[in-house]
Amino acid sequence: MIPITVPYLKLHSSFRAIIRKLRFISWISYNICFCKAALILLGLIFSHKLVDIAVVAVLITYLTDYPRNYNVVEAARLVNLQEGISASTVIFLTCIPDAFSGRLNVIFYSTISCILGLVLLLITAFDESVNPLLKRLILIGVVFLAVGKAGMQHFLGPFLADQLRAHEPIKLNISEHRVSARKRVWWLIPFFFSVIASVQLSSWRVISIFTASATGITLFIFRLGIRFFHSTEITGPAAGSSLAVVFRVVKAALSKRHLNNPYSSNQLYRNDQNQVHLFPQVKFFRWLDKAAIIEPSTLISPEEQEKAGRLCTVAQVRDTKLMLKMVPIWTTFVVFGLIVSTGQTFFPEQGNQLNPQEAKQNGAKIVRIWVGMVLSTICCAVAWRVEVHRLIIINNSGLQNNTDEVIPMSIFWLAPQFCLLGLMKGLARDGINKFLDDQFPEPMHSCVSAITELVTGFASFVNIVSVYFNKSLFADTLNSSRLDEYYKMLTIVSFINICYFWWISTFYTRGDDTAEADVIPQATGREEEEDFKVIVV
């Protein structure tokens, strides 16, 4: 046996240190790159996140404060309206051509809309008179803010990714995993500073002045730096045209409903895969295959049939069936969005009256979504019990009708429900986005992401209806309302939604379509591993 000498141990230790340095250098080169265009975008991302954190997230506290004096129901309705408009606007914005000039214009005009909303809120922050015009200005400002938020939130990330793709060493074989990692690093920097800045802002007047000024300055810098942006050519159909294709396929299939299902691959238009039953092979959507059948009885060519809207390609039918196949799992996000909307509405208002002095693969993705759904139920249950405790303190202190006094209860009582709200949003939304990205080809990612936002945002309108039908639980102030009973109801609804989601998810994890996996090529991840691997001899 060869004895281990001291020089050998030193050499081994040095060798391990070199390996660690090489791995660190590799991580740096993989995740970080210098990009002038991304540097210019940092300012706009900072102002977008600052507005989101300092204004939108706590808008209800602004509405219920004197002299605006909205009651709880009115304030909740306005906040939910803002969230619903923002989510709905995303769908309309995706109809804009998904190209360089289209994204650039959406970002520019969305930021202007955001500034207009902030300026209107700034005017109302300085007006302490009880004026009916005040509420109209707030409503218009909230609408402008919602539209601006929709454009910036949906297009800033993809535009930043476009700029980082231009720095990829091999243009014909771009590593999307590396682009995503670098985008995450660039996004994290302004987010970190926006959180710090939001903590320093004390009053609504200061918040309005600072956010409006910051957004205006960063937009000016963005406009000056347009010449530094890379005009990335975006291939594939626009997100808006993907929605048009769905209606086109359904219309063509209905017009040929008298035909029998295809029995030969030669019947189908542009059938490169020689399929008879088109992927995904869902029996309920079999009738959509008729949209790709070439009508032999007509005298016009297939190309003319396509122009007339009576014929679609096999690829268009496939994309439509994929999107319709996702409808059941999207429906589970209505209740999820209802809880998110409730958390973003009532959680900040609860904290506004507490004592601040004491507060100085498919299966895996489905499981991630399910965990987010479970956390949503736990979040409602925790919020329910905390509100019960808060109401007990209010009743013991005689503060039911007194909103000016600070409740002798630490704001840290709300920390668990806010943490659960953040965790459930992160897990469920990240899980559904990654799950859908695996199901659809890359050109449709923007479209399905917008639909997810629409479904979640639609829950804001559902929350308005829910509050209306439970209006007996709400009074003019939160102290005299029975918010605990509302949270209790949401806990029950959320639990039912978990059971519904678990049943729905079984249809997406059976692996019935594995035989057709070659229809939509999926990345194996090996190329990303090769980019990141450090080989040490």
Side-chain angles (χ1 to χ4, degrees), residues 418-437:
F418 272 107
C419 291
L420 289 167
L421 181 67
L423 282 172
M424 76 182 210
K425 287 167 64 178
L427 285 170
R429 282 183 172 172
D430 183 63
I432 188 65
N433 286 334
K434 290 187 176 180
F435 173 74
L436 294 174
D437 285 350

Side-chain angles (χ1 to χ4, degrees), residues 42-116:
L42 282 187
L44 213 54
I45 297 171
F46 165 79
S47 59
H48 160 59
K49 298 309 296 181
L50 181 64
V51 170
D52 202 27
I53 296 170
V55 179
V56 176
V58 290
L59 183 61
I60 191 170
T61 63
Y62 172 73
L63 298 174
T64 54
D65 284 348
Y66 176 84
R68 288 155 294 279
N69 286 337
Y70 281 84
N71 63 46
V72 173
V73 175
E74 289 176 337
R77 187 183 301 129
L78 195 55
V79 171
N80 289 323
L81 181 67
Q82 177 267 323
E83 294 169 356
I85 291 175
S86 181
S88 305
T89 305
V90 170
I91 287 293
F92 293 102
L93 293 178
T94 54
C95 296
I96 296 173
D98 200 9
F100 173 76
S101 58
R103 288 182 175 177
L104 198 68
N105 288 332
V106 169
I107 293 172
F108 181 76
Y109 290 112
S110 296
T111 309
I112 290 179
S113 177
C114 187
I115 292 173
L116 289 174

